[in-house]
Amino acid sequence: MLFLKECRKILFSFPFVLYFIATAAMYFTQFDSDCDEPLQKPVEGMESYGMTVKEIPELVMNGAAESLVEEYLAGSYQTYPYGFLKNVRLKEKDRTRMAQIIEELTGITKEELEASEEYGEVKLSKEMTYENFKERMQEADRILGGGSRYSGNFLLQFSRVPKTYEDAMEEYEQFRQRDGITGAYARLYCDYLGIVLSILPVFPAVFLAGMDERTRMEPLVYCRKILPLKLVFTRYSALIAVLHLPVVFTAVLAHIRVLGLYPGAEVKPFAIFLYALLWLSPNILTAAAVGMLSTELFSGFAGILVQGVWWFFSVMAGTQGLTGMIGRFTLVMRHNNLLGSEIFEAEWETVLFNRVFFTVFSLAAVGVTAVVFEAKRRGRYHGFSFSHGGKNPRRQSEP
Amino acid sequence: MEDRIEIRNVNKFYGRKQALKNVNLTIERGMFGLLGRNGAGKTTLMKTLVTLHKKDSGSITVCGIPVESAKEIRAITGYLPQDFNMYPSMTVWESLDYLGVLSGMERKLKRERMEMLLKKVNLTEQSRKKVGALSGGMRRRLGIAQALLHDPKVLIVDEPTAGLDPEERIRFRNLLCETAQERIVILSTHIVGDIEATCEKIAVMNEGEILWQGTVERLLREAEGKVFTVQVENRELLRVKEQYVVTGMVAHGTSTTVRLVAEKMPGLGQAAEAEPNVEDAYIYCLSSHGCEVMGGEG
């Protein structure tokens, strides 16, 4: 009963209409435009089948060592700690340690290294194992403050090789068989929609959470006997249900679009819907929870700012790699590729951890929202307004 | 369950400012008026009674339930705040229905009471109208309907007639009196006329303190022999206003009939003792308690 009434409040609101339009726009301008042609089966004898990343230890180690020497000599290292390019210059102590790492990798001493501005071919020490190498790279990355080319998965970027016909065929078969076509499109669909669904839900959430205060309905709601947890969770559930409508709408469209591209092909009928539920729902849950909690805490439109900053950094972090860009705490997961299901599958545990983490985080945030709601209801907390020196002007108590 | 509100030694602070000072009141079934200027602490006291503010010390029980038991208190109190509105996009019916759900009302009972209350507040024809399209008076009447929806034992109305035209004000007062037959109704106001027309028992509040409490009749009795009318030349007016607490003036060309409150007959022109009305008695109450009263100003 209350759930339906709350749904209605959101459904006919201006922010929800905008949310729906913006989500649909993302679908049509990005995903739909990527579905103009079906993925072609590789033909033997083609000049190129593109490049692929393969973990070939020799390539990884040589490429990374060469890059490290180059950056050492340049005295500047490129890192992307929050998705933004940062040129790191090391202090003498760290510089010396970096030289030691290079020496451990290549046998080149600091003095030899600094004797000339350029160093020719870099050869790795014969004793250097791949495991030892990765440990040194971890340390180098730590010295650089994280986000360098020598961290985790980014090391693999040193090992890009041209695809063979067999590689291309194997990928294509994975696309047809393991992904059942729709599975691959589901990842692409979630990649695009995930960007907007990590920020847009905050608008209807802030609208709903601030509605009582804006319309001066608060005292009438506050003096009812409903429990805070029941009211806040019902409102949140209604919000989440309504916010999923454009997801259902675009998922159906995406499914139909993919069926149209591959007439008669055998596809996984629920792949897009399942991916949407697992991948996109936690994004919606999170943005909506942050919107509700921030509005309850700070009043006004602070929730949009809070979520906006988080979203911005998360999206920027994704610019390092659009394929398989999945971290344990990455809000906006990226996999902007129809192929590469093996990369995604290799990260499956991380994906699960990530999505469960954001779901639990959201529910906890809503729980805190209920606590803040009750504190405001009992006159123990009056909201914090940044623009009024911490005091909420609408809640100044009058004797 | 006893039909009584007991307020004992209640204090409330907003930072350093003390909004309620050792308030003691006993309120029984029927209409009770809380009279005081704007900023006297009436709203704070009302909000404390409906659990929207916490007191800093003292005790309050509403029909035997301590005010700390918020859920129970909310179930038996109805509140019409001074400054309120409802979702403008909802209709009158939808608004009441929504608030009824928040009160945990059973569906059939809710529907019956909504129909009954809309009829009572004369809003049946407006039930499908959006709240945003209602006049101020209609919105106030809808306010009283929502406060009575869950059939509370206590109804608390804060400045309900502010901004209403005389006809709406009379209609509203009558409505309050009708509802007071079966419950405690607390009317908090700075408009003396509202108290005079509806309440038998009242309390006068000033700067967070209860200055006086008792029946309206006693308040009037205490002002007997303290209210006078005096005819003065217009040029004398300023001096009269400086010397006395003036509660009314009627101009007649070059002279004015001044109604004033004083401990003894003023030694001015043609002075005569007058029968006090509630407004005179309220002003006398304030001035006799040492409050600064600017009766003749403005």
PDB file of all heavy atoms in Angstrom, chain A residues 5-6 8-9 212 215-216 224-226 235 377-378 397-399, chain B residues 14 41 44 52 70 74 83 85-87 94 97-98 102-103 146:
ATOM      1  N   LYS A   5       2.130   3.836  -3.101  1.00  0.00           N
ATOM      2  CA  LYS A   5       1.967   5.294  -3.025  1.00  0.00           C
ATOM      3  C   LYS A   5       3.306   6.002  -3.246  1.00  0.00           C
ATOM      4  O   LYS A   5       3.373   7.042  -3.897  1.00  0.00           O
ATOM      5  CB  LYS A   5       1.390   5.693  -1.661  1.00  0.00           C
ATOM      6  CG  LYS A   5      -0.072   5.309  -1.516  1.00  0.00           C
ATOM      7  CD  LYS A   5      -0.614   5.739  -0.169  1.00  0.00           C
ATOM      8  CE  LYS A   5      -1.974   5.129   0.082  1.00  0.00           C
ATOM      9  NZ  LYS A   5      -2.956   5.373  -0.960  1.00  0.00           N
ATOM     10  N   GLU A   6       4.362   5.415  -2.682  1.00  0.00           N
ATOM     11  CA  GLU A   6       5.693   6.010  -2.867  1.00  0.00           C
ATOM     12  C   GLU A   6       6.125   5.873  -4.329  1.00  0.00           C
ATOM     13  O   GLU A   6       6.719   6.796  -4.886  1.00  0.00           O
ATOM     14  CB  GLU A   6       6.713   5.346  -1.933  1.00  0.00           C
ATOM     15  CG  GLU A   6       6.457   5.564  -0.445  1.00  0.00           C
ATOM     16  CD  GLU A   6       6.597   7.008   0.010  1.00  0.00           C
ATOM     17  OE1 GLU A   6       7.156   7.830  -0.736  1.00  0.00           O
ATOM     18  OE2 GLU A   6       6.109   7.320   1.123  1.00  0.00           O
ATOM     19  N   ARG A   8       4.248   5.897  -6.858  1.00  0.00           N
ATOM     20  CA  ARG A   8       3.487   6.871  -7.623  1.00  0.00           C
ATOM     21  C   ARG A   8       4.098   8.269  -7.511  1.00  0.00           C
ATOM     22  O   ARG A   8       4.150   9.018  -8.480  1.00  0.00           O
ATOM     23  CB  ARG A   8       2.043   6.863  -7.089  1.00  0.00           C
ATOM     24  CG  ARG A   8       1.070   7.390  -8.066  1.00  0.00           C
ATOM     25  CD  ARG A   8      -0.347   6.948  -7.818  1.00  0.00           C
ATOM     26  NE  ARG A   8      -1.178   7.671  -8.764  1.00  0.00           N
ATOM     27  CZ  ARG A   8      -1.904   8.717  -8.435  1.00  0.00           C
ATOM     28  NH1 ARG A   8      -1.936   9.116  -7.193  1.00  0.00           N
ATOM     29  NH2 ARG A   8      -2.605   9.353  -9.342  1.00  0.00           N
ATOM     30  N   LYS A   9       4.547   8.584  -6.289  1.00  0.00           N
ATOM     31  CA  LYS A   9       5.168   9.895  -6.055  1.00  0.00           C
ATOM     32  C   LYS A   9       6.370  10.096  -6.984  1.00  0.00           C
ATOM     33  O   LYS A   9       6.589  11.175  -7.507  1.00  0.00           O
ATOM     34  CB  LYS A   9       5.650   9.990  -4.592  1.00  0.00           C
ATOM     35  CG  LYS A   9       4.625  10.592  -3.652  1.00  0.00           C
ATOM     36  CD  LYS A   9       4.936  10.259  -2.213  1.00  0.00           C
ATOM     37  CE  LYS A   9       6.163  10.911  -1.654  1.00  0.00           C
ATOM     38  NZ  LYS A   9       6.415  10.530  -0.242  1.00  0.00           N
ATOM     39  N   ASP A 212       9.478  15.949   1.575  1.00  0.00           N
ATOM     40  CA  ASP A 212       8.744  16.352   2.774  1.00  0.00           C
ATOM     41  C   ASP A 212       9.170  17.739   3.233  1.00  0.00           C
ATOM     42  O   ASP A 212       8.346  18.572   3.604  1.00  0.00           O
ATOM     43  CB  ASP A 212       8.981  15.351   3.911  1.00  0.00           C
ATOM     44  CG  ASP A 212       8.319  14.018   3.641  1.00  0.00           C
ATOM     45  OD1 ASP A 212       7.472  13.965   2.737  1.00  0.00           O
ATOM     46  OD2 ASP A 212       8.668  13.035   4.318  1.00  0.00           O
ATOM     47  N   THR A 215       8.110  20.547   0.642  1.00  0.00           N
ATOM     48  CA  THR A 215       6.681  20.853   0.577  1.00  0.00           C
ATOM     49  C   THR A 215       6.103  21.195   1.959  1.00  0.00           C
ATOM     50  O   THR A 215       4.908  21.371   2.085  1.00  0.00           O
ATOM     51  CB  THR A 215       5.890  19.662  -0.012  1.00  0.00           C
ATOM     52  OG1 THR A 215       6.140  18.523   0.806  1.00  0.00           O
ATOM     53  CG2 THR A 215       6.307  19.354  -1.422  1.00  0.00           C
ATOM     54  N   ARG A 216       6.936  21.276   2.960  1.00  0.00           N
ATOM     55  CA  ARG A 216       6.536  21.570   4.354  1.00  0.00           C
ATOM     56  C   ARG A 216       5.557  20.510   4.884  1.00  0.00           C
ATOM     57  O   ARG A 216       4.658  20.799   5.668  1.00  0.00           O
ATOM     58  CB  ARG A 216       5.952  22.973   4.462  1.00  0.00           C
ATOM     59  CG  ARG A 216       7.006  24.045   4.258  1.00  0.00           C
ATOM     60  CD  ARG A 216       6.453  25.428   4.463  1.00  0.00           C
ATOM     61  NE  ARG A 216       5.541  25.785   3.409  1.00  0.00           N
ATOM     62  CZ  ARG A 216       4.329  26.294   3.595  1.00  0.00           C
ATOM     63  NH1 ARG A 216       3.899  26.502   4.815  1.00  0.00           N
ATOM     64  NH2 ARG A 216       3.552  26.587   2.584  1.00  0.00           N
ATOM     65  N   ARG A 224       3.325  10.931  12.670  1.00  0.00           N
ATOM     66  CA  ARG A 224       2.601   9.660  12.479  1.00  0.00           C
ATOM     67  C   ARG A 224       3.340   8.546  13.218  1.00  0.00           C
ATOM     68  O   ARG A 224       4.551   8.665  13.463  1.00  0.00           O
ATOM     69  CB  ARG A 224       2.529   9.294  10.996  1.00  0.00           C
ATOM     70  CG  ARG A 224       1.867  10.342  10.151  1.00  0.00           C
ATOM     71  CD  ARG A 224       0.370  10.355  10.340  1.00  0.00           C
ATOM     72  NE  ARG A 224      -0.107  11.737  10.232  1.00  0.00           N
ATOM     73  CZ  ARG A 224      -1.372  12.097  10.334  1.00  0.00           C
ATOM     74  NH1 ARG A 224      -2.299  11.200  10.558  1.00  0.00           N
ATOM     75  NH2 ARG A 224      -1.709  13.358  10.247  1.00  0.00           N
ATOM     76  N   LYS A 225       2.629   7.459  13.451  1.00  0.00           N
ATOM     77  CA  LYS A 225       3.266   6.440  14.303  1.00  0.00           C
ATOM     78  C   LYS A 225       4.171   5.470  13.544  1.00  0.00           C
ATOM     79  O   LYS A 225       4.822   4.616  14.145  1.00  0.00           O
ATOM     80  CB  LYS A 225       2.208   5.683  15.102  1.00  0.00           C
ATOM     81  CG  LYS A 225       1.435   4.659  14.321  1.00  0.00           C
ATOM     82  CD  LYS A 225       0.630   3.789  15.281  1.00  0.00           C
ATOM     83  CE  LYS A 225      -0.005   2.648  14.554  1.00  0.00           C
ATOM     84  NZ  LYS A 225      -0.844   1.813  15.391  1.00  0.00           N
ATOM     85  N   ILE A 226       4.267   5.591  12.229  1.00  0.00           N
ATOM     86  CA  ILE A 226       5.071   4.646  11.445  1.00  0.00           C
ATOM     87  C   ILE A 226       6.524   4.618  11.932  1.00  0.00           C
ATOM     88  O   ILE A 226       7.088   5.663  12.283  1.00  0.00           O
ATOM     89  CB  ILE A 226       4.998   4.972   9.929  1.00  0.00           C
ATOM     90  CG1 ILE A 226       5.633   3.855   9.122  1.00  0.00           C
ATOM     91  CG2 ILE A 226       5.651   6.325   9.615  1.00  0.00           C
ATOM     92  CD1 ILE A 226       5.284   3.869   7.653  1.00  0.00           C
ATOM     93  N   ARG A 235      10.264   3.593   1.220  1.00  0.00           N
ATOM     94  CA  ARG A 235      10.543   4.627   0.229  1.00  0.00           C
ATOM     95  C   ARG A 235      11.704   4.204  -0.674  1.00  0.00           C
ATOM     96  O   ARG A 235      11.663   4.403  -1.888  1.00  0.00           O
ATOM     97  CB  ARG A 235      10.880   5.949   0.935  1.00  0.00           C
ATOM     98  CG  ARG A 235       9.639   6.628   1.478  1.00  0.00           C
ATOM     99  CD  ARG A 235       9.948   7.950   2.135  1.00  0.00           C
ATOM    100  NE  ARG A 235       8.699   8.659   2.415  1.00  0.00           N
ATOM    101  CZ  ARG A 235       8.625   9.823   3.019  1.00  0.00           C
ATOM    102  NH1 ARG A 235       9.718  10.422   3.424  1.00  0.00           N
ATOM    103  NH2 ARG A 235       7.456  10.406   3.219  1.00  0.00           N
ATOM    104  N   ARG A 377      13.352  13.684  13.279  1.00  0.00           N
ATOM    105  CA  ARG A 377      11.951  13.618  13.674  1.00  0.00           C
ATOM    106  C   ARG A 377      11.770  13.973  15.150  1.00  0.00           C
ATOM    107  O   ARG A 377      10.782  14.586  15.525  1.00  0.00           O
ATOM    108  CB  ARG A 377      11.490  12.183  13.408  1.00  0.00           C
ATOM    109  CG  ARG A 377      10.038  11.909  13.556  1.00  0.00           C
ATOM    110  CD  ARG A 377       9.877  10.415  13.395  1.00  0.00           C
ATOM    111  NE  ARG A 377       8.522  10.019  13.136  1.00  0.00           N
ATOM    112  CZ  ARG A 377       8.125   8.741  13.033  1.00  0.00           C
ATOM    113  NH1 ARG A 377       9.003   7.777  13.134  1.00  0.00           N
ATOM    114  NH2 ARG A 377       6.876   8.440  12.816  1.00  0.00           N
ATOM    115  N   ARG A 378      12.742  13.591  15.961  1.00  0.00           N
ATOM    116  CA  ARG A 378      12.632  13.860  17.400  1.00  0.00           C
ATOM    117  C   ARG A 378      13.311  15.161  17.791  1.00  0.00           C
ATOM    118  O   ARG A 378      13.486  15.438  18.986  1.00  0.00           O
ATOM    119  CB  ARG A 378      13.251  12.719  18.187  1.00  0.00           C
ATOM    120  CG  ARG A 378      12.467  11.434  18.054  1.00  0.00           C
ATOM    121  CD  ARG A 378      12.773  10.527  19.195  1.00  0.00           C
ATOM    122  NE  ARG A 378      12.137   9.243  19.037  1.00  0.00           N
ATOM    123  CZ  ARG A 378      11.954   8.398  20.033  1.00  0.00           C
ATOM    124  NH1 ARG A 378      12.366   8.716  21.236  1.00  0.00           N
ATOM    125  NH2 ARG A 378      11.367   7.248  19.842  1.00  0.00           N
ATOM    126  N   SER A 397      14.613  26.302  14.916  1.00  0.00           N
ATOM    127  CA  SER A 397      13.516  26.133  15.860  1.00  0.00           C
ATOM    128  C   SER A 397      13.083  27.466  16.422  1.00  0.00           C
ATOM    129  O   SER A 397      13.892  28.276  16.805  1.00  0.00           O
ATOM    130  CB  SER A 397      13.966  25.220  16.990  1.00  0.00           C
ATOM    131  OG  SER A 397      14.334  23.991  16.459  1.00  0.00           O
ATOM    132  N   GLU A 398      11.781  27.660  16.442  1.00  0.00           N
ATOM    133  CA  GLU A 398      11.260  28.898  17.008  1.00  0.00           C
ATOM    134  C   GLU A 398      10.674  28.620  18.364  1.00  0.00           C
ATOM    135  O   GLU A 398       9.901  27.682  18.522  1.00  0.00           O
ATOM    136  CB  GLU A 398      10.148  29.447  16.108  1.00  0.00           C
ATOM    137  CG  GLU A 398      10.681  30.087  14.870  1.00  0.00           C
ATOM    138  CD  GLU A 398       9.546  30.519  13.977  1.00  0.00           C
ATOM    139  OE1 GLU A 398       8.474  30.861  14.499  1.00  0.00           O
ATOM    140  OE2 GLU A 398       9.733  30.521  12.762  1.00  0.00           O
ATOM    141  N   PRO A 399      11.011  29.418  19.347  1.00  0.00           N
ATOM    142  CA  PRO A 399      10.395  29.186  20.645  1.00  0.00           C
ATOM    143  C   PRO A 399       8.914  29.558  20.627  1.00  0.00           C
ATOM    144  O   PRO A 399       8.501  30.319  19.788  1.00  0.00           O
ATOM    145  CB  PRO A 399      11.149  30.080  21.598  1.00  0.00           C
ATOM    146  CG  PRO A 399      12.022  30.954  20.806  1.00  0.00           C
ATOM    147  CD  PRO A 399      12.001  30.500  19.386  1.00  0.00           C
TER     148      PRO A 399
ATOM    149  N   TYR B  14      17.631  26.113  23.477  1.00  0.00           N
ATOM    150  CA  TYR B  14      18.190  26.112  22.124  1.00  0.00           C
ATOM    151  C   TYR B  14      19.563  26.756  22.260  1.00  0.00           C
ATOM    152  O   TYR B  14      19.663  27.981  22.297  1.00  0.00           O
ATOM    153  CB  TYR B  14      17.352  26.934  21.157  1.00  0.00           C
ATOM    154  CG  TYR B  14      15.984  26.338  20.883  1.00  0.00           C
ATOM    155  CD1 TYR B  14      14.827  27.048  21.183  1.00  0.00           C
ATOM    156  CD2 TYR B  14      15.867  25.080  20.310  1.00  0.00           C
ATOM    157  CE1 TYR B  14      13.583  26.515  20.919  1.00  0.00           C
ATOM    158  CE2 TYR B  14      14.617  24.541  20.051  1.00  0.00           C
ATOM    159  CZ  TYR B  14      13.489  25.260  20.355  1.00  0.00           C
ATOM    160  OH  TYR B  14      12.252  24.726  20.097  1.00  0.00           O
ATOM    161  N   GLY B  41       7.122  30.695  23.260  1.00  0.00           N
ATOM    162  CA  GLY B  41       7.494  29.311  23.592  1.00  0.00           C
ATOM    163  C   GLY B  41       6.352  28.334  23.367  1.00  0.00           C
ATOM    164  O   GLY B  41       6.486  27.144  23.678  1.00  0.00           O
ATOM    165  N   THR B  44       7.215  25.589  20.771  1.00  0.00           N
ATOM    166  CA  THR B  44       8.185  24.647  21.348  1.00  0.00           C
ATOM    167  C   THR B  44       7.470  23.668  22.268  1.00  0.00           C
ATOM    168  O   THR B  44       7.713  22.453  22.222  1.00  0.00           O
ATOM    169  CB  THR B  44       9.258  25.413  22.139  1.00  0.00           C
ATOM    170  OG1 THR B  44       9.917  26.300  21.255  1.00  0.00           O
ATOM    171  CG2 THR B  44      10.285  24.471  22.748  1.00  0.00           C
ATOM    172  N   LEU B  52       8.151  16.010  18.638  1.00  0.00           N
ATOM    173  CA  LEU B  52       8.998  16.560  17.572  1.00  0.00           C
ATOM    174  C   LEU B  52      10.188  17.339  18.140  1.00  0.00           C
ATOM    175  O   LEU B  52      11.101  17.700  17.403  1.00  0.00           O
ATOM    176  CB  LEU B  52       8.184  17.466  16.642  1.00  0.00           C
ATOM    177  CG  LEU B  52       7.038  16.793  15.901  1.00  0.00           C
ATOM    178  CD1 LEU B  52       6.407  17.754  14.904  1.00  0.00           C
ATOM    179  CD2 LEU B  52       7.501  15.546  15.184  1.00  0.00           C
ATOM    180  N   ALA B  70       7.678   7.552  22.145  1.00  0.00           N
ATOM    181  CA  ALA B  70       7.244   8.320  20.969  1.00  0.00           C
ATOM    182  C   ALA B  70       6.154   7.605  20.163  1.00  0.00           C
ATOM    183  O   ALA B  70       5.173   8.228  19.752  1.00  0.00           O
ATOM    184  CB  ALA B  70       8.448   8.620  20.093  1.00  0.00           C
ATOM    185  N   ARG B  74       2.541   9.175  19.488  1.00  0.00           N
ATOM    186  CA  ARG B  74       2.119   9.518  18.120  1.00  0.00           C
ATOM    187  C   ARG B  74       0.786   8.851  17.771  1.00  0.00           C
ATOM    188  O   ARG B  74       0.024   9.380  16.965  1.00  0.00           O
ATOM    189  CB  ARG B  74       3.196   9.089  17.122  1.00  0.00           C
ATOM    190  CG  ARG B  74       4.414   9.980  17.156  1.00  0.00           C
ATOM    191  CD  ARG B  74       5.575   9.378  16.397  1.00  0.00           C
ATOM    192  NE  ARG B  74       6.800  10.115  16.667  1.00  0.00           N
ATOM    193  CZ  ARG B  74       8.015   9.618  16.506  1.00  0.00           C
ATOM    194  NH1 ARG B  74       8.174   8.389  16.084  1.00  0.00           N
ATOM    195  NH2 ARG B  74       9.073  10.349  16.765  1.00  0.00           N
ATOM    196  N   ASP B  83       2.949  25.925  10.577  1.00  0.00           N
ATOM    197  CA  ASP B  83       3.465  26.045   9.227  1.00  0.00           C
ATOM    198  C   ASP B  83       3.501  24.653   8.601  1.00  0.00           C
ATOM    199  O   ASP B  83       4.346  23.840   8.929  1.00  0.00           O
ATOM    200  CB  ASP B  83       4.882  26.636   9.299  1.00  0.00           C
ATOM    201  CG  ASP B  83       5.457  26.872   7.923  1.00  0.00           C
ATOM    202  OD1 ASP B  83       4.672  27.059   6.989  1.00  0.00           O
ATOM    203  OD2 ASP B  83       6.696  26.829   7.788  1.00  0.00           O
ATOM    204  N   ASN B  85       2.136  22.080   4.993  1.00  0.00           N
ATOM    205  CA  ASN B  85       1.499  21.946   3.693  1.00  0.00           C
ATOM    206  C   ASN B  85       1.427  20.454   3.400  1.00  0.00           C
ATOM    207  O   ASN B  85       1.887  19.647   4.194  1.00  0.00           O
ATOM    208  CB  ASN B  85       2.307  22.672   2.623  1.00  0.00           C
ATOM    209  CG  ASN B  85       1.425  23.111   1.474  1.00  0.00           C
ATOM    210  OD1 ASN B  85       0.333  22.585   1.262  1.00  0.00           O
ATOM    211  ND2 ASN B  85       1.889  24.083   0.719  1.00  0.00           N
ATOM    212  N   MET B  86       0.867  20.121   2.275  1.00  0.00           N
ATOM    213  CA  MET B  86       0.867  18.719   1.865  1.00  0.00           C
ATOM    214  C   MET B  86       1.397  18.669   0.442  1.00  0.00           C
ATOM    215  O   MET B  86       1.526  19.700  -0.198  1.00  0.00           O
ATOM    216  CB  MET B  86      -0.537  18.147   1.949  1.00  0.00           C
ATOM    217  CG  MET B  86      -1.044  18.117   3.379  1.00  0.00           C
ATOM    218  SD  MET B  86      -2.591  17.255   3.486  1.00  0.00           S
ATOM    219  CE  MET B  86      -3.113  17.735   5.119  1.00  0.00           C
ATOM    220  N   TYR B  87       1.701  17.453  -0.038  1.00  0.00           N
ATOM    221  CA  TYR B  87       2.235  17.360  -1.395  1.00  0.00           C
ATOM    222  C   TYR B  87       1.241  18.029  -2.357  1.00  0.00           C
ATOM    223  O   TYR B  87       0.112  17.557  -2.491  1.00  0.00           O
ATOM    224  CB  TYR B  87       2.429  15.898  -1.799  1.00  0.00           C
ATOM    225  CG  TYR B  87       3.306  15.108  -0.861  1.00  0.00           C
ATOM    226  CD1 TYR B  87       2.944  13.842  -0.421  1.00  0.00           C
ATOM    227  CD2 TYR B  87       4.518  15.626  -0.406  1.00  0.00           C
ATOM    228  CE1 TYR B  87       3.755  13.108   0.433  1.00  0.00           C
ATOM    229  CE2 TYR B  87       5.330  14.904   0.457  1.00  0.00           C
ATOM    230  CZ  TYR B  87       4.939  13.652   0.869  1.00  0.00           C
ATOM    231  OH  TYR B  87       5.738  12.933   1.718  1.00  0.00           O
ATOM    232  N   GLU B  94      -6.192  11.794  -1.686  1.00  0.00           N
ATOM    233  CA  GLU B  94      -4.919  11.064  -1.687  1.00  0.00           C
ATOM    234  C   GLU B  94      -4.039  11.465  -0.499  1.00  0.00           C
ATOM    235  O   GLU B  94      -3.367  10.628   0.107  1.00  0.00           O
ATOM    236  CB  GLU B  94      -4.149  11.333  -2.986  1.00  0.00           C
ATOM    237  CG  GLU B  94      -4.711  10.618  -4.196  1.00  0.00           C
ATOM    238  CD  GLU B  94      -4.167  11.156  -5.507  1.00  0.00           C
ATOM    239  OE1 GLU B  94      -3.525  12.229  -5.509  1.00  0.00           O
ATOM    240  OE2 GLU B  94      -4.414  10.517  -6.543  1.00  0.00           O
ATOM    241  N   ASP B  97      -5.388   9.865   2.576  1.00  0.00           N
ATOM    242  CA  ASP B  97      -5.159   8.427   2.458  1.00  0.00           C
ATOM    243  C   ASP B  97      -3.695   8.111   2.789  1.00  0.00           C
ATOM    244  O   ASP B  97      -3.403   7.170   3.542  1.00  0.00           O
ATOM    245  CB  ASP B  97      -5.481   7.999   1.019  1.00  0.00           C
ATOM    246  CG  ASP B  97      -5.542   6.497   0.878  1.00  0.00           C
ATOM    247  OD1 ASP B  97      -5.991   5.837   1.826  1.00  0.00           O
ATOM    248  OD2 ASP B  97      -5.124   5.981  -0.170  1.00  0.00           O
ATOM    249  N   TYR B  98      -2.783   8.908   2.268  1.00  0.00           N
ATOM    250  CA  TYR B  98      -1.346   8.700   2.496  1.00  0.00           C
ATOM    251  C   TYR B  98      -1.015   8.812   3.991  1.00  0.00           C
ATOM    252  O   TYR B  98      -0.343   7.961   4.561  1.00  0.00           O
ATOM    253  CB  TYR B  98      -0.560   9.738   1.694  1.00  0.00           C
ATOM    254  CG  TYR B  98       0.936   9.619   1.824  1.00  0.00           C
ATOM    255  CD1 TYR B  98       1.629   8.596   1.175  1.00  0.00           C
ATOM    256  CD2 TYR B  98       1.667  10.514   2.594  1.00  0.00           C
ATOM    257  CE1 TYR B  98       2.998   8.474   1.291  1.00  0.00           C
ATOM    258  CE2 TYR B  98       3.036  10.397   2.725  1.00  0.00           C
ATOM    259  CZ  TYR B  98       3.704   9.377   2.068  1.00  0.00           C
ATOM    260  OH  TYR B  98       5.063   9.260   2.198  1.00  0.00           O
ATOM    261  N   LEU B 102       0.380   6.100   6.871  1.00  0.00           N
ATOM    262  CA  LEU B 102       1.515   6.330   7.778  1.00  0.00           C
ATOM    263  C   LEU B 102       1.100   6.157   9.244  1.00  0.00           C
ATOM    264  O   LEU B 102       1.923   5.855  10.098  1.00  0.00           O
ATOM    265  CB  LEU B 102       2.092   7.738   7.586  1.00  0.00           C
ATOM    266  CG  LEU B 102       2.747   8.054   6.241  1.00  0.00           C
ATOM    267  CD1 LEU B 102       3.406   9.416   6.278  1.00  0.00           C
ATOM    268  CD2 LEU B 102       3.773   7.004   5.849  1.00  0.00           C
ATOM    269  N   SER B 103      -0.194   6.351   9.506  1.00  0.00           N
ATOM    270  CA  SER B 103      -0.684   6.147  10.872  1.00  0.00           C
ATOM    271  C   SER B 103      -1.016   4.680  11.128  1.00  0.00           C
ATOM    272  O   SER B 103      -1.467   4.333  12.222  1.00  0.00           O
ATOM    273  CB  SER B 103      -1.942   6.991  11.116  1.00  0.00           C
ATOM    274  OG  SER B 103      -1.581   8.332  11.253  1.00  0.00           O
ATOM    275  N   GLN B 146      -6.726  15.909   8.756  1.00  0.00           N
ATOM    276  CA  GLN B 146      -5.606  14.959   8.855  1.00  0.00           C
ATOM    277  C   GLN B 146      -5.215  14.725  10.317  1.00  0.00           C
ATOM    278  O   GLN B 146      -4.827  13.633  10.692  1.00  0.00           O
ATOM    279  CB  GLN B 146      -4.404  15.394   8.008  1.00  0.00           C
ATOM    280  CG  GLN B 146      -3.668  16.664   8.409  1.00  0.00           C
ATOM    281  CD  GLN B 146      -2.739  16.514   9.600  1.00  0.00           C
ATOM    282  OE1 GLN B 146      -2.207  15.435   9.841  1.00  0.00           O
ATOM    283  NE2 GLN B 146      -2.571  17.575  10.365  1.00  0.00           N
TER     284      GLN B 146
END
